Amino acid sequence: QVQLVQSGGGLVQAGGSLRVSCAVSGVHFNTFSTYTMGWFRQAPGKEREFVAAISWYGESTSYSDFVKGRFTISRDNFKKSVYLQMNSLKPEDTAVYYCAARPQGRMTSASAQYDYWGQGTQVTVSS
């Protein structure tokens, strides 16, 4: 059974940095290497929105406009993990962040295309 377990996040002042991590279990690392991985977020009262995605071997990445230049997605296939480094954080980045896995699919910003989801991690940015 594929499971995504998130860690990191927390509370930071505006302009600060945080990193969230997502470890995948239940698959061999060769299989994980065929998963597109993504990060999404959901703020209170808002719909879940796409943040970033990374291709199978990390050679391609995609970002939403509101995080481009501030956030970096990366992965370590041997550790079966994906990371989101968040710099220059703003209060509007406050949300629950979710990692997601899309087996054998291309990068996409459509949440419905991802089959597996992490439990969510709270990120709060104070002004």
Side-chain angles (χ1 to χ4, degrees):
Q1 182 179 359
V2 179
Q3 290 188 319
L4 280 61
V5 178
Q6 298 178 219
S7 60
L11 173 65
V12 67
Q13 288 188 331
S17 299
L18 283 174
R19 188 171 93 150
V20 288
S21 302
C22 174
V24 179
S25 63
V27 293
H28 191 272
F29 74 86
N30 282 335
T31 300
F32 175 76
S33 300
T34 65
Y35 286 9
T36 285
M37 298 298 296
W39 286 97
F40 292 78
R41 70 185 187 186
Q42 188 166 17
K46 295 187 177 181
E47 293 187 353
R48 189 171 298 188
E49 61 184 3
F50 170 76
V51 175
I54 189 166
S55 61
W56 295 8
Y57 298 101
E59 72 277 14
S60 297
T61 57
S62 176
Y63 297 93
S64 63
D65 287 342
F66 49 77
V67 304
K68 199 171 294 183
R70 300 188 297 124
F71 290 12
T72 302
I73 187 171
S74 61
R75 67 189 294 161
D76 185 330
N77 285 348
F78 289 107
K79 293 183 178 180
K80 297 183 292 182
S81 294
V82 63
Y83 311 97
L84 185 67
Q85 177 67 42
M86 302 179 286
N87 299 329
S88 302
L89 282 160
K90 305 174 182 179
E92 51 264 43
D93 293 318
T94 295
V96 176
Y97 283 72
Y98 297 90
C99 65
R102 185 183 190 215
Q104 297 186 327
R106 294 179 180 270
M107 290 192 299
T108 177
S109 61
S111 60
Q113 298 296 319
Y114 290 81
D115 292 338
Y116 305 106
W117 291 83
Q119 81 276 17
T121 301
Q122 179 68 47
V123 170
T124 303
V125 184
S126 62
S127 57

